[in-house]
Amino acid sequence: MKTHSLLISMLVFLCVMGACNSGPVLRNATGFAYEIVVTMDKTAWDAPGGQAIKAELASDIPGLPQAEPAFKITYAMPVHFDGLLTYVRNILIVKIDKNLYTKVSLSSEKNRWAKNQVVLTMTAPDTETILEYVNAHPRSLVDFFSKAERDRTISQLKKEYSTLVMEHVKKRFDVELNAPGSMTFYRDTTGFFWASNNAATGRSDMVVYDFPYQDTNTFTKEYLIRKRDSVMKQNMPGAFPNSYMATDSAWVTYTPVTVNGKYCGELRGLWQVEGDMMGGPFVSHARVDEKNNRVVVVEGFVYAPETDKRNYIRRVEAALYTLRLPGEFEETEELKEADENSK
């Protein structure tokens, strides 16, 4: 009996020691995607510098058919910033002190009070300097927190994704793609793959296609729009005779981005169906597969009439960043193994 009690005592001791060695267990961050808490002095928040921060965080998302703010903002005075507010997934802390700071500086921290949390701290000598910084670095705050949200979605997609899409794009194009798990409807044809969640509200679709790479002139807005219109007209017919998906070229932007350390051409804008009343936002990535001398395009688009589209398009946009071309599969496995070893 004494031996039994001794064993139990030793197990409890080992469990306690293990908990001590692993550090405190953080609770999961709270709040919905694209929500943010901003805490700073009330006088500074009402001043032009604070209002510039507010205006940027609430600025319109580009590429949507109607105005939607980048973030939903909750403001809290420093004296009230405690308890549940410290667990929110996105937090911006602004500290102003002319005796401590001479310029605007930014520092970020992950998992400060909660798991999967990002905290950005801005320090400045006064609100005038903040105003100058925001004007000189447009969308820097929005881009920082938007990337944090995108990274969260990518991490989720690595764990929960459509195996159907993964299997088909691997077989058809020899690429890997973590599409949302809800995408179970598909059409697989030569050189073109389409998948959809076929939802009644917030329908999201993704397509993959490729074409031979010619030269760097491929990566222009005009060329990629022409290629998109040609492919979509052939593969995405509408519900009515002679109707098909097309690009609303007046509302398209082209931006070079980096994916897996390599150049990627991003198109963002609006699509419409010629001969019908359907339309919505889209985002596409075009990348060069050097091994096979081709361009691989992966695109996500949304159809959600009379509904906010920000979170829908941001989710399929995050999925674009999971595209892995030949030669990148091994890198993905190495990163996955490193993640597992770090847990």
Side-chain angles (χ1 to χ4, degrees):
M1 189 69 178
K2 290 182 179 179
T3 303
H4 183 67
S5 300
L6 179 61
L7 288 173
I8 293 177
S9 299
M10 290 179 65
L11 288 173
V12 171
F13 174 76
L14 290 173
C15 289
V16 171
M17 290 299 295
C20 292
N21 292 335
S22 62
V25 178
L26 294 175
R27 62 180 293 174
N28 288 325
T30 61
F32 294 103
Y34 298 96
E35 289 187 349
I36 185 170
V37 169
V38 180
T39 179
M40 61 189 297
D41 181 78
K42 184 66 166 63
T43 302
W45 177 247
D46 293 333
Q51 290 303 293
I53 291 175
K54 180 180 179 180
E56 178 179 332
L57 293 175
S59 60
D60 294 343
I61 292 287
L64 295 184
Q66 74 279 335
E68 293 186 42
F71 285 87
K72 178 182 178 181
I73 304 170
T74 297
Y75 166 74
M77 291 188 293
V79 68
H80 295 148
F81 179 67
D82 57 14
L84 293 177
L85 288 179
T86 63
Y87 301 135
V88 174
R89 59 201 286 148
N90 302 307
I91 296 176
L92 173 61
I93 301 173
V94 183
K95 298 179 179 179
I96 300 175
D97 192 326
K98 63 181 180 181
N99 296 318
L100 295 177
Y101 315 116
T102 60
K103 63 178 182 179
V104 172
S105 296
L106 297 174
S107 61
S108 62
E109 185 178 357
K110 294 182 178 180
N111 307 326
R112 181 169 181 179
W113 292 290
K115 187 178 180 181
N116 295 322
Q117 179 187 66
V118 172
V119 178
L120 182 66
T121 300
M122 171 186 283
T123 58
D126 48 52
T127 59
E128 291 77 11
T129 310
I130 291 177
L131 178 60
E132 293 173 1
Y133 179 87
V134 173
N135 289 336
H137 303 84
R139 298 193 64 81
S140 61
L141 298 178
V142 166
D143 290 344
F144 174 83
F145 285 106
S146 294
K147 183 180 182 302
E149 288 288 6
R150 185 176 72 222
D151 289 345
R152 292 187 186 105
T153 303
I154 291 173
S155 295
Q156 181 186 22
L157 288 171
K158 288 180 179 178
K159 301 173 184 176
E160 302 173 3
Y161 57 89
S162 171
T163 55
L164 181 149
V165 172
M166 180 68 79
E167 291 170 0
H168 278 266
V169 298
K170 186 67 168 67
K171 180 179 179 180
R172 174 65 63 188
F173 301 97
D174 192 27
V175 302
E176 294 182 349
L177 179 67
N178 295 69
S182 59
M183 292 192 172
T184 56
F185 296 83
Y186 73 97
R187 182 170 68 249
D188 189 351
T189 59
T190 303
F192 186 85
F193 177 81
W194 160 85
S196 174
N197 63 1
N198 205 31
T201 302
R203 172 173 164 172
S204 300
D205 298 56
M206 296 190 74
V207 299
V208 182
Y209 58 90
D210 62 357
F211 56 90
Y213 175 63
Q214 301 294 332
D215 51 44
T216 56
N217 292 326
T218 297
F219 288 89
T220 64
K221 180 173 75 171
E222 293 74 20
Y223 184 95
L224 290 176
I225 288 177
R226 288 197 302 271
K227 177 60 69 173
R228 180 183 189 276
D229 282 342
S230 174
V231 171
M232 293 302 189
K233 184 175 182 179
Q234 180 178 356
N235 294 281
M236 296 295 292
F240 299 101
N242 299 320
S243 62
Y244 55 89
M245 178 179 285
T247 308
D248 190 345
S249 57
W251 302 98
V252 177
T253 60
Y254 176 82
T255 307
V257 298
T258 301
V259 179
N260 292 338
K262 298 178 182 178
Y263 185 93
C264 171
E266 177 189 274
L267 284 184
R268 181 188 302 274
L270 302 178
W271 62 272
Q272 60 189 11
V273 174
E274 295 291 340
D276 201 347
M277 299 296 290
M278 296 179 66
F282 79 91
V283 183
S284 74
H285 280 184
R287 298 181 56 201
V288 176
D289 172 13
E290 297 177 356
K291 181 178 179 181
N292 297 292
N293 197 40
R294 59 173 178 166
V295 176
V296 178
V297 177
V298 57
E299 174 180 319
F301 56 92
V302 169
Y303 179 64
E306 301 180 3
T307 303
D308 288 343
K309 303 165 182 60
R310 179 192 63 193
N311 289 10
Y312 294 124
I313 194 66
R314 288 303 199 195
R315 182 166 177 78
V316 293
E317 179 182 351
L320 305 185
Y321 282 84
T322 71
L323 177 69
R324 296 174 297 283
L325 302 176
E328 298 174 350
F329 306 150
E330 296 79 7
E331 298 173 14
T332 301
E333 290 302 318
E334 291 175 1
L335 290 174
K336 184 188 298 184
E337 183 177 345
D339 289 341
E340 291 298 327
N341 293 335
S342 66
K343 292 180 181 179

